[in-house]
Amino acid sequence: MSAVSAGALPLDVARLRGDFPVLGQRINGQPLAYLDNGASSQRPRAVIDAERRYAEEMHANVHRGVHTLSQRATDAFEAARERVRRFLNARSSREIVFTRGTTEAINLVAQSFVRPRVGPGDEILITWLEHHANIVPWQMACEATGAVLTVAPIDRRGELDLDAFRSLLSPRTRLVAAAHVSNALGTVLPVAEIVTAAHAQGVPVLLDGAQAVPHFKVDVEALDCDFYAFSGHKLYGPDGIGVLYGRESLLAAMPPWQGGGDMILSVSFAGTTYNRLPFKFEAGTPHISGAIGLAAAIDYVDGVGLDRIAAWERELLQYATERLERIDGLKIIGTARHKASLVSFVVDGVHPHDLGTILDQAGIAIRTGHHCAMPVMEFFGVPATARASFALYNTRAEVDRLAAAVAAARAMFR
Amino acid sequence: MDLKDLYRDVILDHNRRPRNFGRLEPPARAAPGYNPLCGDQLVVYATLDGDRIGELRFEGSGCAISVASASLMTEAVKGKSRAEAEHLFGLVHALLTDADAATPPELGKLAALGGVREFPARVKCASLCWHTLNAALAGDPTPVSTE
């Protein structure tokens, strides 16, 4: 007899699907099977309602007015920040900076943390698995400062070569920036080992968590990382809102990267005093409704339970891997032992772009292309892949439809 | 929308067995084309015999629509004058984008691309090779991009 805790109860996926209005529609005459969650996930009604309620009952600018609506908006916005803090288990809400998304969060660190403190010959170490958003900001910082970008290699499974990573950490390394989960392959990176190795040499670590937070519990204190970035729209929340977690001692020492309202305490033509954390990094009117929607998304995800979501997605990943592997001529790209619920693949004789169109005609939404990770594509010698990425609301029946449509496409192009 | 209308037999055939696939050495003109959205890339090679297109080849990788379109294009414009090639591009462009466009007989096999306009996301796949041909004929070394 096994003790079944509440956390181990399987998801009632059929009921949860009802929370997502967009899933009820038909696309090209077929029920929508939305398998492009790695690009952006759908929003539950709770998120849509939170944003609407904000617009209908409390919209005003934050941190400014003495009037009631401004106070309501400020309270809700700051409550959202506190909700994010709890979600990440950060020590203080001063460590939670709202951004437009993961990309902007990484750029903030590149501009405000890296650029002022690196020079010619210094190094920024990333991995081969990075999304362009965790490559290009560092290239720009390197170009401006004379620093050098170094890249830790991966193996044929799409796993990071940890030994090579460790050997690339040098006395000149000023920052390690790594994905928590690869968006192109689904690989979960060994972030604990990465942080331990980097910190042993006194090197701070930024983790790109865009593909991690929707799939499993992230605890920045346990990870001991120095920066952590993620986006709302991949976490069942709104687009245009994201988060940079930064260790308070580091954020406090960093200059602001954009100037404007809200990020100052006082301005005169003789000089300006910057606001305290985290407002120093939030110039201008923020995406208030986005932050409130993000908090609602976090409430939703925590309400369902990330452990249960992770268990269901693991089952979907295993099922999808088995189903797709059986298709003649199909090759899965990225076979790491530890993966998030995502399958990247190519099919002999069928270009991913054609596959995307054919699947769309069957009501199935997947991503095709280079996934903003062209170095990964180059490593595997493919111009593009097809990628099915799963969320809590996906079903085994949708995986069956995916497999059937891929097999049909293969037959058509034979 | 019907997939069979997009992937007509002519398209599937030219994708499977692209005509005039390969390269031409200098002094033939060459121009690269690239679709950053999906990673399609091709190079179009052409020789000019006075004002007429002599040899014409392409190489690269891409989806069925881009490969078939390039293959059909090479067959259609070989031996044509530059003005005639321009005129054909105009007809193909109308075919790809204008729902009211007629399908004049001079399009020949290129008419097989008629299904593409029902799939707006794919129009660039079909037109990339034509833009690249223009660049090759003009001797423009800047890579052509659909974006």
Side-chain angles (χ1 to χ4, degrees), chain A residues 268-322:
Chain A
S268 78
F269 290 119
T272 289
T273 310
Y274 301 131
N275 205 341
R276 60 194 166 83
L277 290 177
F279 311 111
K280 182 170 79 171
F281 295 107
E282 293 179 356
T285 299
H287 187 7
I288 308 165
S289 61
I292 290 165
L294 172 58
I298 291 173
D299 281 339
Y300 182 84
V301 165
D302 273 352
V304 175
L306 267 168
D307 290 344
R308 298 164 74 209
I309 293 171
W312 173 239
E313 289 182 351
R314 205 159 37 239
E315 197 177 319
L316 280 177
L317 173 66
Q318 194 181 349
Y319 185 59
T321 304
E322 287 166 12

Side-chain angles (χ1 to χ4, degrees), chain A residues 56-107:
Chain A
E56 289 178 355
E57 297 170 13
M58 59 183 106
H59 171 67
N61 215 329
V62 292
H63 307 138
R64 281 163 177 79
V66 294
H67 59 78
T68 303
L69 284 188
S70 175
Q71 197 53 52
R72 273 186 205 163
T74 303
D75 289 349
F77 183 65
E78 291 307 319
R81 194 189 307 278
E82 169 58 20
R83 188 66 188 89
V84 172
R85 183 205 66 76
R86 231 172 354 115
F87 180 64
L88 292 178
N89 193 34
R91 286 165 207 84
S92 162
S93 61
R94 290 188 295 278
E95 300 180 312
I96 305 299
V97 178
F98 283 121
T99 65
R100 280 194 296 139
T102 307
T103 298
E104 190 176 67
I106 295 172
N107 276 277

Side-chain angles (χ1 to χ4, degrees), chain A residues 28 349-362 367-370 374 383-384 411-414, chain B residues 1-4 6-7 12 15-16 34-41 61-65 119 121-122 125:
Chain A
N28 295 317
V350 189
H351 192 278
H353 209 178
D354 295 310
L355 198 56
T357 294
I358 294 167
L359 263 55
D360 182 54
Q361 286 301 297
R367 172 81 187 266
T368 61
H370 53 57
M374 291 173 79
M412 178 172 171
F413 275 79
R414 251 190 139 82
Chain B
M1 283 189 280
D2 184 357
L3 277 177
K4 275 279 155 215
L6 178 64
Y7 297 111
L12 292 175
N15 174 52
R16 227 174 268 129
Y34 181 51
N35 182 343
L37 277 186
C38 53
D40 288 356
Q41 42 193 326
S61 72
C63 65
I65 303 303
F119 298 81
R122 308 303 299 277
C125 308

Side-chain angles (χ1 to χ4, degrees), chain A residues 20 34 36-44 47-48 51 80 84 87-88 96-105 208-215 228-244 287-301 391-393:
Chain A
F20 293 81
Y34 188 77
D36 193 19
N37 298 284
S40 204
S41 52
Q42 300 297 344
R43 290 169 217 181
V47 170
I48 297 164
E51 287 186 276
V84 172
F87 180 64
L88 292 178
I96 305 299
V97 178
F98 283 121
T99 65
R100 280 194 296 139
T102 307
T103 298
E104 190 176 67
D208 166 0
Q211 299 289 339
V213 290
H215 302 301
Y228 198 94
F230 73 91
S231 300
H233 70 98
K234 296 188 202 291
L235 183 65
Y236 310 102
D239 44 56
I241 188 78
V243 169
L244 173 68
H287 187 7
I288 308 165
S289 61
I292 290 165
L294 172 58
I298 291 173
D299 281 339
Y300 182 84
V301 165
L392 66 91
Y393 41 66

Side-chain angles (χ1 to χ4, degrees), chain A residues 175-240:
Chain A
L175 180 80
V176 166
H180 197 165
V181 172
S182 152
N183 75 304
L185 306 180
T187 310
V188 179
L189 280 81
V191 288
E193 287 83 351
I194 288 173
V195 171
T196 302
H199 282 183
Q201 309 224 22
V203 179
V205 177
L206 174 141
L207 295 177
D208 166 0
Q211 299 289 339
V213 290
H215 302 301
F216 49 79
K217 180 79 193 136
V218 169
D219 179 331
V220 292
E221 190 162 4
L223 284 172
D224 199 28
C225 59
D226 301 278
F227 298 102
Y228 198 94
F230 73 91
S231 300
H233 70 98
K234 296 188 202 291
L235 183 65
Y236 310 102
D239 44 56

Side-chain angles (χ1 to χ4, degrees), chain A residues 130-153:
Chain A
E130 303 311 315
H131 185 283
H132 295 164
N134 206 19
I135 301 174
V136 182
W138 313 121
Q139 286 177 326
M140 291 166 66
C142 286
E143 206 163 294
T145 60
V148 179
L149 191 65
T150 51
V151 185

